[in-house]
Amino acid sequence: MRKPEHKIPASRTLLLFLPALILCFVILILAQNWMLMTVRRDKQEQTYSMLHLIRSTTDLSLDQMYKLSQMLLLDNDIAKFIYQGEIESGSVDIQTLIDAKGVLPTATNINAMLAEVYIYSNRSGYILSSQNAFLEPEKMYPSMFAFEGLNYRQFRSKYLTPAFNRSFFPQTDALVHGRNRSVIPLVQTFPLNNPAANAGKIMLLLDSSYIVDLLSQQIEGASPTVYVTDSKGAVITYSGDPAFILGDGYADGQHRVSIEGQEYVLSALSSNASGLRFFSLLSLKQINAMLNPMWPVLVILSIGMFLLLSFFAVYMLARSNRHWTELLGLVDVSGKPLPYEQAVGYIKNIVEEDRSKVRQAGGTPFITDTFFRRLIHGKMLGTAEIQAMLKQVQKDIDLNSPNTFQMVHIAIHDVQDFLSSDRLEDIDFTRIAAQKQAMRAFGQQYYLYMDFSFSIWIMLWHGDGRFLDTQIDQFYKEFIQVSPCITSMAVSSAKHSLDEIFSATNECSEVQQSLLSEKQVEIMRRYTELSLKREPYHYSLDMERKLSGAVMKGERQALEEILRTIEQDNFVARNLGPEEHANLMKVLYATAIKLSQSLRLTLHQSVFESYAEVKQFFLSQALAINRAKSDKDEVLVQRIIGYIHDHYADPGLNLSNMAGDFGLKESFLYHFMQTRMETSFAQYLEAYRLERALALFAEKQMTISEITSFCGYSNAQTFRRAFQKRYGMLPSDYQKTVLYQKK
């Protein structure tokens, strides 16, 4: 008897499939819960990391702001402006204001966060910005730099007159460069070491959109509310819903808070650099909504896709057979993969081989040459670069042992003769001769470089300073015997640390300048000799600059004052001997030569013999320049009047636009109108527009709105206010008067 066959019924297959399906769902739900907790934790960590990033970015920009405010408040021109009183019309003291304002445009361009900067003087009441100077700030405030909701007195009492060290103010709207912008005021009191003196303020207007953009960088799938407070808990700016801004009573870290029955994660972070606090509020409901349970079909498709992709990934990994450690390396010319450590060694070998070839060919390795050029041109930022350069030149140098450093500069005086006669070999031979003699005198403890002006720079170092002095003398004595060029050599003072080397090139340049002014060649001079050779007469470089500047500007009164000072210092306060008198006449004649070259004039007379000749020469030059300048001034006045006549109807017309069209500096035009036309650009433009408005009222039947637009006012309110201020009545009242008279 045969045993009967048993088949699993279809229902049993289903029973076997359903537990498997249920198991899949259970696994999916457990995985979802695990994923939810993981995502929640990750989102919290991302929020905190994002807050760290916002704080770091803001601190970096604010650190630049603090340095900028300190730089401005320590600037001499700014300090003079703050301590200066009111300036009378046409006074030369206006130059202090122009010099101070000239610093600000550069300052506003160095940081993307900075919208505008204001400098306030408590003594004069004047306010400077990067584009204007407000000598009558209360009158110019409504149309030039108004802050929303505040009149000028409220603005001044809030930001300018209180005494404090440095303070942030909440985000507000302000009129900046003719348009409304949202800004965060950061105000610093002058002087820095005594804020209680309260001599003035620097107000930095931070572009709030810059910080808001940082705050609004949302974490993927979540939209937290982020806000910033100052050290006192006042909200400076925010991104998101302001209704969720909480108090400041939370320590740094993350806190679970409940708002209207919903759970939130509050992240708090303080900045020691800026004193600000950063907060982020993230809804847990938002995170949970990101992982709703999936539909069964999507579950099956997801599992199937996961299995398929897993199989494909395993297959591709098995087929590729890659070594992950080798992927971190580089590939050499043969295509063989290298581990990272071997690749680094391979690069070092290539560079060292190239440097060795350059040295064997008599050249200088690129990196060493670049370091030295940065040193002599004042581009080095610190001693680390000098150390790196010296280690390239002499590998066994001990920078910790005491060394004496000196800089040598050899100037070739007849280099133009060699260039014009194509005797370039003599220039190159001079460099080679200097190289050979330096090798003989200093061994390996030197570095030589010929710059773009065909002058030779040598840096020397040795443990014995007296030995170095002896070898320098021996070097130049042998060098001038073989050099085909006429040269002079300047030697800096001895430097005993790397920090002092940066001044060595300036010392060499000063020595060469003294040799050039004395027309000395084939001579070696040390900086120490120069400092001992100071002439007893008094005529400094600063005095020379002032003298030349007064002549170039045609300022006779200032020139006479400078000449009186020179006469007082040298002929009244001092009893100059014949040699000292002759030397003073020579340096004054050298100034006259430089001035004549600048003016493209021929100086026919010989060296001055008396101070009367000196005064006659400089005063005559100033008089000639002043006459020519007066003619040019009249032409420029007519250009300004014509330009305003042609463009007064443009609401955007300002001094900056006119300066750009004229190809002149804005500060120059400002000073020109103040001194030559005895008015400012804003005052002249306002008067002209109002005169045109009077004429239109009398000539044509136009509405106030039409006249407002025709005369270049952006809105009727500004026009009414300006009209009433000038004529003592509203435009509508004046219009009625004109119409009544006509009837």
Side-chain angles (χ1 to χ4, degrees), residues 544-616:
E544 182 183 33
R545 285 194 294 269
K546 290 180 179 178
L547 179 65
S548 300
V551 174
M552 296 291 288
K553 295 176 182 178
E555 297 175 347
R556 183 182 178 87
Q557 184 177 357
L559 178 60
E560 290 177 345
E561 181 64 29
I562 294 170
L563 291 172
R564 277 197 298 270
T565 301
I566 295 175
E567 185 175 13
Q568 175 71 26
D569 290 349
N570 292 281
F571 300 105
V572 178
R574 288 176 172 80
N575 185 17
L576 297 181
E579 182 179 356
E580 297 167 356
H581 181 275
N583 289 333
L584 177 59
M585 294 301 107
K586 288 179 182 178
V587 296
L588 287 169
Y589 186 71
T591 302
I593 293 175
K594 294 178 185 177
L595 191 61
S596 299
Q597 291 174 345
S598 301
L599 298 174
R600 299 183 179 178
L601 300 175
T602 303
L603 188 62
H604 299 290
Q605 66 189 79
S606 58
V607 177
F608 300 126
E609 294 182 359
S610 67
Y611 192 69
E613 292 181 7
V614 173
K615 293 193 289 186
Q616 181 181 1

Side-chain angles (χ1 to χ4, degrees), residues 27 49 51 89 114 120 128 171 203 240 310 397 422 430 513 579 598 600 676 690 727:
I27 294 174
S49 299
L51 210 59
S89 178
L114 184 60
Y120 169 72
L128 296 183
Q171 175 181 332
M203 175 184 283
S310 299
I397 185 172
D422 287 338
T430 301
Q513 187 65 32
E579 182 179 356
S598 301
R600 299 183 179 178
R676 304 298 190 277
L690 292 174
Y727 299 112

Side-chain angles (χ1 to χ4, degrees), residues 145-206:
F145 63 106
F147 280 61
E148 183 179 358
L150 300 176
N151 58 36
Y152 178 71
R153 298 193 177 188
Q154 292 171 333
F155 162 77
R156 187 178 61 180
S157 63
K158 181 175 181 180
Y159 296 107
L160 304 181
T161 55
F164 50 79
N165 186 5
R166 178 189 294 137
S167 180
F168 285 92
F169 289 86
Q171 175 181 332
T172 185
D173 289 335
L175 194 62
V176 180
H177 302 163
R179 62 190 183 93
N180 283 321
R181 296 186 64 174
S182 181
V183 296
I184 300 172
L186 171 58
V187 184
Q188 169 78 54
T189 301
F190 181 89
L192 296 173
N193 58 353
N194 185 18
N198 200 19
K201 292 287 192 300
I202 174 172
M203 175 184 283
L204 303 174
L205 298 186
L206 312 184

Side-chain angles (χ1 to χ4, degrees), residues 512-529:
Q512 287 291 3
Q513 187 65 32
S514 71
L515 295 175
L516 183 64
S517 63
E518 297 173 12
K519 299 181 180 179
Q520 296 284 346
V521 296
E522 298 290 339
I523 188 175
M524 181 189 78
R525 178 176 292 173
R526 287 179 164 83
Y527 180 76
T528 52
E529 299 173 7

Side-chain angles (χ1 to χ4, degrees), residues 346-404:
Y346 186 69
I347 293 172
K348 288 183 178 179
N349 292 336
I350 292 175
V351 173
E352 189 58 39
E353 183 180 352
D354 179 75
R355 291 177 179 173
S356 178
K357 290 180 180 178
V358 172
R359 290 192 183 98
Q360 291 175 7
T364 304
F366 161 76
I367 191 68
T368 312
D369 193 12
T370 303
F371 274 134
F372 196 75
R373 273 183 286 147
R374 287 172 58 80
L375 173 61
I376 64 174
H377 295 302
K379 301 296 184 181
M380 274 195 175
L381 301 178
T383 57
E385 295 187 48
I386 301 179
Q387 293 177 354
M389 183 191 76
L390 292 176
K391 289 180 180 178
Q392 294 291 328
V393 178
Q394 184 181 355
K395 291 181 183 263
D396 59 346
I397 185 172
D398 184 7
L399 296 174
N400 295 321
S401 62
N403 280 302
T404 299

